[in-house]
Every structure is written in structure tokens, then in C-alpha cells.
Amino acid sequence: MIPVTEFRQFMEQQPAFRVLKPWWDVFTDYLSVVMLMVGVFACTMQIMQDKIICLPQRVPAPNQTGALSNPNDGTVANSTAPPAPVVNEMKGLKTNLDFQQYNFINQICYETALHWYAKYLPYLVLIHTMIFMVCSNFWFKFPGSSSKIEHFISILGKCFDSPWTTRALSEVSGEKPGDKDKTMVMQKFNIHEDVTVDNTEEEESVRSIPEKVVVDKPDAGVLDKKEGEQAKALFEKIKKFRLHVEEGDLLYIMYVRQNVLKVLNFLLIIGYNCVMVSKMEFRVNCTDILEMTGYKNFLCNLTKAHLLFKLTYFYLCLVGVYGFTCLYTLYWLFHRSLKEYSFEYVRQETGIDDIPDVRNDFAFMLHMIDQYDPLYSKRFAVFLSEVSENKLKQLNLNHEWTTEKLRQRLQTNSNNRLELQLFMLSGLPDTIFEVSELQSLKLEIINNVTIPASISQLKELEELVLYQCSLSIHSAAISFLRENLKVLHVKFDDSRELPSWVYSLRNLEELHLIGSLSPDISRSITLESLRELKCLKTLHLKSNFSKIPQSVVDASSHLQRLYIHNDGTKLVIFNNLKKMIHLVELELVHCDLERIPHAIFSLTNLQELDLKENSLKSIEEILSFQHLRKLTCLKLWYNSISHIPEHIKKLGSLERLYLSHNKIEVLPPQLFLCHKLRYIDLSNNEIRFIPPEIGVLQSLQYFAVSCNKIESLPDELFFCKKLKVLKLGRNLLTVLSPKISYLALLSHLELKGNHMESLPPELGSCPALKRSGLFVEDTLFEMLPSDVREQLGDD
């Protein structure tokens, strides 16, 4: 026999699922249990007791009170004697049937004479009750819906019990743990404990009761790291679950269908029972069994008829109540949309204004939860709020990034400032404002950065770097930055990452902007006027301009250094450059320039010019540089220049010249008439010969001609007594002159990649040259005399 416990799993659901069972489902579950007991009781009676009792039916003849003697009348005479006289003793009629025959007759008459309704009513009761019970719990067992329900119940329980829920309801709504006036008492319900649901209470009246939250003064502000991580994981789970569940309405459809099926079952039961209940009779005539018993008619008694009548009417009453409850359920399902759920009442009571409304299955489950207890959905709503999530992230950040840890990451940057760099965090830790010695703050790829008024604690802060950070800032923080900030770096991809308060930083000295600013590109960002930045001296723009922006011209009266790094977009309009007469340094990098712009020759205060990574092929305009009497540094590297004009000698004030990575083949002797040259970089060209006029450069300290085609060096090169760095690598040199010993200040010598077979021992006569500054093949170095190697040994 199969034990009953094997079927329990089909009828029971997890205890936690009861939060999705409103009062009508609970009520119908109890009705189902009572109907099941009625069916079991009726079946038990039908099995344990005699089903039917039958006796032969005698048909008396006229004027005859005794037994009939004519067998054709339905009986067989027992004798031919006259009937016995009537006496006072009551005696039953005797038949010639034995006990086995009566059992046989009872069975035959039960099967043939008794109406099917009386025979199968107990089983019908069981079948219908089982249908009701299966319909009530099917959506908890169906794979497509049960997985969502189990996941939702698991998350709901964790949200309800999470310490962050209580804290968020107090902190996000502006409540402080120390405010006695705002301290409330929370009635905590556990999802794993029994809860009594008041079925008479209306939904809206329950919602209007505000949640009472307990705030313990010692613990309200405390959320340990483990609890914070658990709450953070809940936020992520809910986001993914919401995306998954809001896609469809499977749960709603399943619940509607099972209730429709229960109503149809109810109508079927009421319909056929009202017709068939009259077929259940106490006495039943059984005929046509003469050949088996010798009697034609039997009168049978259904012994359980009266009890079955009462059970049937009781069962129909239960079904009626069940059916009207299901009709009410359908009314609740259809009289308003359950595919949308609004947290308006939660937003009003808690002050958390950004809780979003939900839809489809997510909304339907929350409506079901409200029928159980609205407190669950209210506490669950905390984890749908971005404000609450950001607050939690902030607490977790503060736990992770302590003041001590931040101080350990402090470094000195290129501007000799004490810098703290934070990369790809979820926000800005509040603990950073306790590092009072901080001078430079660098934030990279951090979303939702909020700079509070507490930044004013960083009295030493002068530099701020924002690389792809969406930023919001307190008005008091803007006032502080306006007075204290001197250097600002901003790298942006969209308008949210280019803060508008940049244009109000009146003490700003350096501004570095990296991002799309070209008006030719859709959805581009344009610069506002920089006229108010009276202290601005340096402007660095890395973008894709076709002309110099007007906002740059607005700052021309006080701008001294302008750096424009295009992404290869051709810069064609330079007229605005003429107005920047105070420029000291100018960089036009990767601007696709084919010639040197004439507007540059008007910048009489210019000291350094960088035209790196352009398309310059000819620099005949270099003659006009003679008007730039303060020009000391000229960078024409990474171009396609093939010829240096002879009138370069007119640049008498030139001290540094960068011509590397070009296509220069011949060096004009006039180049070395620029007697102030201290730094010359001619590497990565096609130079074959160095003119002896190089000896004129007595101030030369740096000379690089590596990666060329030079076969020999003029002796005059070694008359440049101040030479410190000499780069000759990757050429065609076969020998190095012993006159190298003349270079007493030489500390860096590159010879690797040539065709030399040996090195001159005179290298040992260069007192400043050490092995660490000598770049040559190890085999050549080992060929030097041991005493020379010792002299070149590192200190």
C-alpha cells in the first residue's frame, strides 16, 4: 500500500509561501480540508458498512393474505398445504434463499438497480476536493512560476530581516538616531514566524498605518562590514530579479487560470448535484433477476441514504461558500489592474522619493504580499531606491577606505603636490575629507561622485583631477573650490562629466580639458566663456577642433600657455591666435598642419613652440621666426620634413631644437650657427653626414642622432666640451675617435647598434661616464682593458 505521506508533497507548499496566500486562499484551503474530510468519511462508510440490503418482494393475490402459490406471480410455493392459522406471535416470511444468495442479490442490485449518483457520490466529493486543492497550489509547483516565487520569497525574507532596512528608513528620510522626537518603535514581523491576519481589515486602511521603526542610539549608526556586503548583494539581486520578472505576467495568468478553473468546478458541482440529489432514494426496486434466485422482484434498502442526504447538503453548502469566495477572488483580480504597483504610500510615509513603481509579475506579487501584510512591501521598497543604495555604498566605502588606508596611498605627483588617486570606486569615501594634508585629488572612472560641503576640511587642496566621473557638488563645496582650487583636470565623454561650475573658479591657474568639444559632432559639448577665470595661465585642450574656440579667445588677455591636442582633425582657422599676444608656450599637436601657421609669427612673447605629429613637409616659413626674439625651444618632431632651410641661422635665441622622426637627409652647416643651442634631437631620420661646423656649439649639452645612417663622426664634435648626452646608437659607425676623452662632462653615451669592432680605451678618461650611462654591446665592453672597465664601474 502506498503511504499517504507520499502525496503530501503535492498538496503542501513551503511555509514561507504563505505570504503569497491572501485571506481568501487561506479560507478556501480550510474549506478544502473540511470537504476532504466529508469525502473521506463518506468513502469510509461505503467501504466499512453494507452498501444495500435486499429482500424478495411478494405480490399478494386478491382475498389472500398468505404466501402466493403461483410461481408465475413472482414466488415459488413452499407447500401445497393451506396457510397456517394466524397466531399472536409475529413471524417473518420464509424464503428458500440462503445467506450466500442474499449477498449475491445485494451485489447485483447495488450494481444494476442503484443510481450511479448514490454509488459514486463519496468518490466525486474526493475528486472535486482534490481538484480544488490542486488548483489552489498549482502555481506554487509549476516550474515557470515556482522558480520566480521561491526566488522572490528568499529575497523578501532577507530584505525584511536586513539591518539596512531599518537604518535606511531612518537615514534616507532625514531621521537622526539622536532625535528623540523622531524615535519610533518598530513592530518586527519575521517571515518564518506565524502571523495572524485580520481578514476584516481593508487593504487601504492597513496601508495608511505608518511603520514604526526602532532606532537604538548606540547601534543605529553602526552597520558592520558583513551586513553592508549582504545588503549590497541584495540590491544587485533585486535589480536582476526585477529585470527578469517584469518582462512577463506568467504568475498573474497562472493565478487567474487556476481561479477560473475553481469557479468552473464549483458551477459543475452545483449544477449536477442539484439535479441528481433527488435520485438518491431510501428504497430501490430490483427486478429481472428471476433466473438467478427464483424471485422476480426485490425491494432494496440503501442503509446510508439519510446520512448521505445530510452529507450531500452539507457538502453543497461548503462548495457554495467556496464558489462565492472564488468569485470574489476573480472580482479582486479584474476590478483593477494588478499588473502595476505604486509605492506612493511608501514614498509619502518614509520620505524616500525615488522608489520606482513596478509592473507585471513583480507588481502582482507585491499586491499579493499586501493582502498578507503591507509591512513586507514597505520594507522591500527600501531596496528599490537608488538613494538608499547610494547611501549603503557610501557606508561600505567608508568601511573599506579608512583614513589610515588613504594616507598610505598618498604620493608626490609631477607638480610636487601630495596626491591621492582613486580608481573605479562606487563613490567618494567620506573619510577622504579627514586627510587634511591632501593637496591633489585624482578621481578616475567613478560614477555618481558627490562632493559635499565637508571638502572644505581639505585646506591644502589645490589640484583636482576628474577622469570620466559624473559629478554632483554641494553649493558650499563650489564656494570652497572657487577660492582654493588652482589646477583642474577634466576628462569627459558627455555633458554630465563636464561640470558647469568650472567657469566660476576665479582662482584657477591651470585648466586641462579632454573630450569632444567640436561643434561639427552631434550631441557635442561646447565651452562657455573663460573670461571670468582671471587667474588662468595654462589651458590644455585635447579634443577635435576645426578652429580655435571663441572661449579660448576670451581668456587671451591673461593666458600664457595654450596646448591644443587634436585627434587628427584638421585645424584650419588660426586668426584667433593673433590676439593671444601674451602666450609664452604654444602646442598644436596632431592638428594635421601642412605648413606653419602665419598667425604664430605675431606671438612676440612666444618662448616655446611645439608642432608635434602634424603633416609638415616644408618649413620654409621658419625665416619668419626671427621676429620671435624670445623663442628658445622649437619642436618640429614627428612630421615629414625632408629639408632644413639655410636661414634657420636667423634663430639666434634658439636653445632647444627637436627634429626627430622626420625624413631629413642633409644637415645644413648654417644650423650650427645658432650658437645658443644646448639641446639637439635629430634621431630617427636619414642623416648620413654631420658637418664639422658642429664644433661651433660650445654650449651643446645634448646631441642625439641615433637611428640614422651616419658612417663617421667629425672630430669637431668632440670640441663641444659641455656635452653631457651623446646618442649615436643604430647608425653605421665602425670606429669611435679617441678624442672622446675631450668630453669631460659626458655622462650618457649610446653606441649600441653600430658596426664597431672595439671601443677606444680613452673612454676611461671621461670622469663623468660610468657603466650605467654607457649603452653598448656587452662583448665590446668586455674587450676594454680591465683598468678602463674598473674606471667605468658604477659608484
Side-chain angles (χ1 to χ4, degrees):
M1 180 178 290
I2 301 177
V4 178
T5 54
E6 295 294 330
F7 299 95
R8 182 179 302 172
Q9 59 176 324
F10 297 103
M11 308 308 299
E12 295 181 353
Q13 69 275 354
Q14 298 180 17
F17 282 13
R18 66 177 178 269
V19 296
L20 288 176
K21 294 183 75 69
W23 67 265
W24 52 79
D25 279 350
V26 176
F27 181 62
T28 53
D29 283 348
Y30 282 112
L31 287 178
S32 298
V33 172
V34 177
M35 288 189 287
L36 184 64
M37 293 176 65
V38 171
V40 171
F41 178 68
C43 290
T44 302
M45 288 194 308
Q46 194 153 349
I47 294 174
M48 300 300 294
Q49 299 181 10
D50 293 333
K51 300 177 182 178
I52 194 170
I53 298 176
C54 299
L55 290 177
Q57 184 178 8
R58 298 178 183 275
V59 181
N63 301 323
Q64 187 177 2
T65 59
L68 295 177
S69 60
N70 187 2
N72 295 329
D73 293 336
T75 61
V76 179
N78 292 329
S79 63
T80 58
V86 178
V87 295
N88 294 331
E89 182 180 0
M90 297 295 294
K91 294 183 179 180
L93 297 177
K94 294 183 178 181
T95 64
N96 60 347
L97 301 176
D98 57 17
F99 180 75
Q100 294 296 334
Q101 288 177 315
Y102 276 113
N103 286 338
F104 176 77
I105 293 168
N106 291 341
Q107 292 294 333
I108 292 296
C109 291
Y110 181 83
E111 296 295 336
T112 59
L114 191 64
H115 193 271
W116 66 267
Y117 181 76
K119 289 188 292 184
Y120 301 117
L121 177 63
Y123 306 109
L124 292 174
V125 172
L126 284 178
I127 291 173
H128 289 306
T129 304
M130 292 295 292
I131 292 175
F132 281 136
M133 299 181 76
V134 169
C135 289
S136 296
N137 298 284
F138 183 72
W139 73 318
F140 291 132
K141 303 297 180 182
F142 183 70
S145 57
S146 64
S147 59
K148 295 181 180 180
I149 293 174
E150 289 176 3
H151 196 183
F152 177 73
I153 295 298
S154 174
I155 294 175
L156 183 68
K158 293 176 181 178
C159 292
F160 193 94
D161 296 330
S162 174
W164 174 246
T165 309
T166 301
R167 169 145 188 170
L169 288 173
S170 59
E171 288 201 6
V172 178
S173 59
E175 179 179 336
K176 297 181 180 179
D179 294 342
K180 293 184 179 180
D181 296 337
K182 296 184 179 180
T183 302
M184 298 177 288
V185 180
M186 183 190 72
Q187 300 173 347
K188 182 175 181 180
F189 294 84
N190 194 310
I191 198 171
H192 304 294
E193 297 176 356
D194 294 334
V195 180
T196 303
V197 180
D198 188 357
N199 296 330
T200 62
E201 226 174 84
E202 293 295 329
E203 176 182 352
E204 296 300 326
S205 62
V206 174
R207 286 186 175 183
S208 63
I209 302 175
E211 181 187 4
K212 297 182 178 182
V213 182
V214 130
V215 182
D216 295 330
K217 290 184 180 180
D219 298 327
V222 178
L223 191 69
D224 61 33
K225 183 176 180 180
K226 182 178 179 181
E227 292 172 341
E229 291 298 326
Q230 290 175 348
K232 180 180 178 181
L234 276 177
F235 274 105
E236 295 299 325
K237 286 182 180 179
I238 290 173
K239 284 181 181 178
K240 295 179 181 178
F241 179 76
R242 180 185 173 189
L243 290 175
H244 174 62
V245 175
E246 280 193 313
E247 292 177 354
D249 55 356
L250 175 64
L251 295 179
Y252 176 77
I253 292 175
M254 290 293 298
Y255 191 76
V256 170
R257 287 178 178 176
Q258 68 183 32
N259 277 280
V260 170
L261 186 58
K262 288 193 289 186
V263 171
L264 294 177
N265 195 28
F266 152 70
L267 296 176
L268 176 64
I269 295 172
I270 296 297
Y272 82 79
N273 275 278
C274 291
V275 176
M276 294 297 177
V277 70
S278 60
K279 302 295 183 180
M280 189 182 300
E281 300 177 350
F282 183 74
R283 292 185 178 183
V284 181
N285 290 320
C286 183
T287 58
D288 298 331
I289 56 174
L290 176 64
E291 296 179 356
M292 295 177 285
T293 61
Y295 292 92
K296 183 176 181 181
N297 297 321
F298 283 82
L299 183 61
C300 302
N301 180 27
L302 182 60
T303 58
K304 302 178 289 297
H306 293 296
L307 183 57
L308 286 178
F309 266 114
K310 295 178 181 179
L311 288 177
T312 301
Y313 284 115
F314 179 64
Y315 171 69
L316 291 178
C317 290
L318 295 176
V319 172
V321 176
Y322 194 104
F324 284 112
T325 305
C326 292
L327 290 174
Y328 171 79
T329 304
L330 290 180
Y331 167 75
W332 180 79
L333 288 171
F334 295 129
H335 89 285
R336 63 181 179 135
S337 176
L338 299 181
K339 294 184 180 181
E340 296 179 357
Y341 187 91
S342 174
F343 285 99
E344 182 62 29
Y345 75 100
V346 181
R347 293 193 286 264
Q348 292 177 356
E349 293 176 7
T350 62
I352 308 176
D353 297 328
D354 70 323
I355 301 176
D357 296 335
V358 295
R359 57 189 179 86
N360 287 338
D361 281 342
F362 203 1
F364 176 65
M365 284 190 289
L366 290 172
H367 281 294
M368 297 290 283
I369 289 291
D370 281 344
Q371 297 301 316
Y372 182 80
D373 191 343
L375 183 61
Y376 282 100
S377 59
K378 180 177 180 180
R379 295 178 69 85
F380 183 80
V382 171
F383 289 88
L384 294 173
S385 167
E386 290 188 6
V387 172
S388 175
E389 183 179 7
N390 292 336
K391 186 66 177 179
L392 175 64
K393 290 179 179 178
Q394 193 65 41
L395 287 176
N396 288 339
L397 274 175
N398 295 341
H399 280 302
E400 181 180 359
W401 295 92
T402 61
T403 306
E404 293 74 15
K405 183 177 180 180
L406 291 174
R407 282 197 169 97
Q408 293 174 0
R409 295 175 64 90
L410 290 176
Q411 295 180 346
T412 302
N413 63 9
S414 58
N415 295 326
N416 200 28
R417 292 188 178 99
L418 206 57
E419 182 179 83
L420 174 62
Q421 180 178 2
L422 298 178
F423 179 72
M424 291 188 69
L425 298 184
S426 58
L428 190 63
D430 292 331
T431 50
I432 200 172
F433 306 117
E434 299 176 12
V435 188
S436 57
E437 65 271 24
L438 185 63
Q439 295 175 310
S440 175
L441 177 59
K442 187 175 184 179
L443 307 177
E444 297 187 55
I445 315 179
I446 302 179
N447 294 324
N448 303 319
V449 176
T450 300
I451 299 182
S454 53
I455 195 175
S456 59
Q457 300 175 19
L458 304 178
K459 301 295 184 181
E460 304 294 326
L461 185 66
E462 296 180 350
E463 183 176 1
L464 181 61
V465 181
L466 302 173
Y467 283 176
Q468 295 180 347
C469 298
S470 55
L471 189 68
S472 60
I473 187 168
H474 193 273
S475 57
I478 295 178
S479 301
F480 170 79
L481 295 177
R482 185 183 296 120
E483 299 296 331
N484 293 271
L485 201 62
K486 294 183 178 179
V487 181
L488 176 63
H489 298 252
V490 180
K491 182 179 181 181
F492 53 88
D493 287 333
D494 54 47
S495 58
R496 294 177 303 171
E497 297 172 0
L498 182 58
S500 58
W501 46 265
V502 168
Y503 309 104
S504 64
L505 302 176
R506 57 191 176 200
N507 289 326
L508 194 66
E509 297 178 1
E510 293 185 27
L511 177 59
H512 301 255
L513 299 178
I514 304 174
S516 175
L517 291 165
S518 173
D520 299 332
I521 298 179
S522 60
R523 299 178 62 187
S524 65
I525 308 164
T526 57
L527 285 176
E528 297 179 19
S529 176
L530 304 176
R531 186 179 293 108
E532 300 301 323
L533 306 183
K534 300 297 184 181
C535 296
L536 188 65
K537 305 299 181 183
T538 302
L539 179 59
H540 185 137
L541 301 175
K542 187 174 182 180
S543 185
N544 46 2
F545 301 110
S546 59
K547 64 178 181 179
I548 297 177
Q550 180 61 36
S551 58
V552 178
V553 181
D554 294 340
S556 60
S557 60
H558 44 81
L559 200 62
Q560 295 182 1
R561 285 171 290 275
L562 176 62
Y563 308 107
I564 297 179
H565 291 207
N566 260 14
D567 62 353
T569 304
K570 190 175 184 63
L571 192 62
V572 294
I573 302 177
F574 303 93
N575 294 333
N576 292 337
L577 274 178
K578 296 180 179 180
K579 300 179 181 180
M580 303 180 190
I581 57 176
H582 299 290
L583 279 185
V584 175
E585 295 182 18
L586 175 63
E587 286 187 10
L588 300 176
V589 177
H590 206 30
C591 297
D592 195 23
L593 302 179
E594 296 180 357
R595 305 187 70 85
I596 300 175
H598 289 279
I600 296 177
F601 306 137
S602 302
L603 306 178
T604 56
N605 290 312
L606 196 64
Q607 298 178 11
E608 182 173 333
L609 175 64
D610 188 351
L611 300 178
K612 180 181 179 182
E613 294 181 347
N614 283 286
S615 302
L616 298 177
K617 297 180 181 179
S618 173
I619 53 173
E620 295 296 332
E621 303 88 349
I622 203 170
L623 177 62
S624 299
F625 281 143
Q626 63 180 327
H627 303 296
L628 306 181
R629 301 187 181 281
K630 297 182 180 180
L631 186 65
T632 60
C633 179
L634 179 60
K635 297 181 179 181
L636 301 174
W637 47 351
Y638 293 88
N639 280 282
S640 300
I641 300 171
S642 59
H643 174 69
I644 300 177
E646 296 179 357
H647 42 257
I648 194 172
K649 64 182 179 180
K650 299 291 184 179
L651 306 183
S653 60
L654 199 62
E655 298 179 2
R656 290 182 294 163
L657 179 62
Y658 296 76
L659 286 170
S660 64
H661 295 84
N662 278 285
K663 299 179 180 180
I664 300 172
E665 297 182 3
V666 178
L667 294 178
Q670 292 80 3
L671 170 63
F672 304 106
L673 297 180
C674 300
H675 60 278
K676 290 186 178 181
L677 278 175
R678 295 183 293 105
Y679 185 109
I680 301 178
D681 188 356
L682 296 168
S683 57
N684 290 277
N685 279 283
E686 299 178 7
I687 301 171
R688 297 178 179 273
F689 176 73
I690 298 177
E693 286 78 6
I694 192 173
V696 176
L697 301 179
Q698 293 300 306
S699 299
L700 189 63
Q701 299 178 11
Y702 183 103
F703 185 61
V705 288
S706 55
C707 298
N708 279 282
K709 301 178 180 180
I710 301 172
E711 297 180 357
S712 62
L713 298 174
D715 292 341
E716 288 78 5
L717 174 63
F718 305 106
F719 296 154
C720 302
K721 301 297 182 65
K722 294 183 179 180
L723 198 61
K724 296 180 180 179
V725 177
L726 180 59
K727 295 185 177 182
L728 304 171
R730 297 190 179 184
N731 277 283
L732 303 178
L733 297 174
T734 58
V735 64
L736 181 64
S737 173
K739 295 181 180 180
I740 190 72
S741 60
Y742 296 172
L743 304 179
L745 300 179
L746 187 66
S747 60
H748 185 103
L749 175 61
E750 289 187 14
L751 295 172
K752 184 177 291 188
N754 283 283
H755 299 165
M756 295 182 180
E757 296 181 357
S758 63
L759 296 176
E762 286 76 10
L763 284 174
S765 300
C766 299
L769 184 63
K770 302 298 178 183
R771 181 65 181 95
S772 58
L774 177 61
F775 295 87
V776 68
E777 288 81 359
D778 292 338
T779 55
L780 290 178
F781 181 77
E782 295 298 329
M783 294 174 63
L784 288 171
S786 58
D787 57 335
V788 175
R789 294 200 305 269
E790 290 179 2
Q791 292 176 6
L792 294 175
D794 293 334
D795 293 338

